[in-house]
C-alpha cells in the first residue's frame, strides 16, 4: 500500500458495510461477512456460468461448447445470490458509490490472482445518455475506475457509446434480453487505443449485453477481450 493509502486508511479505517464491524485487509467487509459471500468457485471456464458441482478446471458449459461467446473468458468472482444482489442494487439504484469501491477492489484483487496477463484497457459497458442522466452515474464506470487504479490499468470511459435505448434487462428471459440488445446498440466514438481489453459490468446473466459490445470491439480490431463482472447469475 502506498504512503497515501496508509494515511487514508489510518484516518478512515475500513468498516464493514454489512454489519459495521472493523473491515479487514483494507476492505469495507469484516472477515465474517466476507466469508458469507457466495464465491463463484466452480463455473464455466469461458462464460463463468456457475456449475452445481466441481466438474474440473477448464470445463465449458454446454452453451459455450455449442456457440462460443465473442470473448475469451469471463471473470465473475461471485454468484448473484445471498448478500450480493443487495450490494449491487445499492450501487446501481441507490447511488451508494461506496459499494463501487468495495466491489471494484474485490474484482481487481481476484483478477490479479489469476494467471492470464492483465488487459491493456478497461472498457465499461456504457449506459444510454437518457438513462445516465436519470441515474446520474454509470455503475460499470465506477467499478472500472476502482479496479483500474488498483491494477494500474487504464480506463476508457468514452470509448464506447450506447446509441440505442433498450428496455431494462432485469426480469427478462434470455430471448427477450437478446432481442432487447440486438445489433446497433453500441458504437465506438474513436479508434481503439489498445487490442487487449476487458469489458466491465456489474452482473452477467445471459451475456447478451457484453457479447454485443464485444462484437463491436472485435470488428474494430480488438484481438483479446475479457469480461469482468462482479457477479454471475446461476
Amino acid at each position: 500500500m502506498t504512503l497515501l493509502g496508509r494515511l487514508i486508511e489510518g484516518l478512515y479505517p475500513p468498516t464493514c458495510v454489512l454489519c459495521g464491524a472493523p473491515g479487514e485487509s483494507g476492505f469495507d467487509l469484516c472477515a465474517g461477512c466476507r466469508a458469507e459471500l457466495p464465491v463463484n468457485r466452480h463455473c464455466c471456464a469461458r462464460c463463468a456460468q456457475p456449475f452445481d458441482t466441481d466438474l474440473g478446471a477448464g470445463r465449458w458449459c454446454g452453451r459455450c461448447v455449442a456457440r462460443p461467446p465473442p470473448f475469451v473468458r469471463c471473470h465473475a468472482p461471485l454468484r448473484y445470490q445471498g448478500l450480493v444482489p443487495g450490494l449491487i442494487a445499492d450501487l446501481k439504484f441507490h447511488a451508494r458509490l461506496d459499494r463501487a469501491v468495495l466491489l471494484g477492489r474485490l474484482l481487481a484483487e481476484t483478477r490479479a490472482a489469476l494467471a492470464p496477463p492483465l488487459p491493456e484497457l478497461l472498457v465499461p459497458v456504457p449506459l444510454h445518455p437518457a438513462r445516465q442522466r436519470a441515474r446520474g452515474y454509470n455503475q460499470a464506470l465506477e467499478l472500472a475506475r476502482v479496479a483500474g487504479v488498483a491494477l494500474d490499468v487504464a480506463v476508457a470511459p468514452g470509448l464506447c457509446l450506447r446509441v440505442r435505448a433498450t428496455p431494462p434487462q432485469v426480469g427478462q428471459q434470455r430471448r427477450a434480453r437478446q432481442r432487447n440488445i440486438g445489433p446497433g446498440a453500441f458504437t465506438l466514438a474513436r479508434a481503439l487505443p489498445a487490442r487487449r481489453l476487458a469489458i466491465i459490468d456489474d452482473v452477467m446473466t445471459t451475456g447478451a449485453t457484453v457479447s454485443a459490445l464485444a462484437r463491436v470491439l472485435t470488428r474494430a480490431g480488438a484481438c483479446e477481450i475479457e469480461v469482468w463482472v462482479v457477479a454471475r447469475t446461476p
Side-chain angles (χ1 to χ4, degrees), residues 154-217:
V155 178
L159 176 65
C160 299
L161 305 175
R162 196 166 195 146
V163 294
R164 184 164 59 81
T166 55
Q169 298 283 69
V170 176
Q172 298 282 348
Q173 298 299 316
R174 172 175 291 272
R175 289 188 178 181
R177 285 172 175 264
Q178 291 170 338
R179 287 195 301 268
N180 281 350
I181 299 299
F186 299 107
T187 189
L188 294 185
R190 58 184 184 274
L192 284 184
R195 294 294 179 264
R196 292 187 299 106
L197 315 171
I199 295 172
I200 312 297
D201 208 357
D202 51 359
V203 180
M204 180 172 162
T205 301
T206 65
T209 298
V210 294
S211 292
L213 184 53
R215 292 186 187 99
V216 170
L217 294 169

Side-chain angles (χ1 to χ4, degrees), residues 24-130:
E24 186 181 62
S25 302
F27 279 84
D28 286 329
L29 278 178
C30 67
C33 289
R34 182 163 185 178
E36 291 184 29
L37 293 178
V39 177
N40 192 19
R41 186 168 288 109
H42 307 306
C43 61
C44 173
R46 188 68 178 259
C47 76
Q49 172 73 41
F51 291 149
D52 292 333
T53 58
D54 183 4
L55 300 180
R59 294 293 295 271
W60 287 20
C61 68
R63 189 170 284 117
C64 286
V65 170
R67 188 175 182 181
F71 47 83
V72 295
R73 69 187 65 87
C74 174
H75 174 56
L78 301 176
R79 298 187 179 202
Y80 190 71
Q81 58 193 45
L83 301 170
V84 175
L87 288 170
I88 291 177
D90 283 347
L91 168 62
K92 195 168 183 176
F93 303 116
H94 305 298
R96 292 297 305 269
L97 299 185
D98 58 321
R99 296 333 194 219
V101 176
L102 168 64
L103 298 174
R105 289 190 62 189
L106 180 66
L107 193 60
E109 179 190 77
T110 52
R111 177 57 183 85
L114 301 179
L118 291 173
E120 302 169 280
L121 194 68
L122 305 184
V123 182
V125 172
L127 292 176
H128 187 269

Side-chain angles (χ1 to χ4, degrees), residues 136-153:
Y137 60 96
N138 177 359
Q139 74 278 357
L141 174 56
E142 299 305 320
L143 291 167
R145 282 172 170 157
V146 174
V149 169
L151 296 171
D152 193 25
V153 178

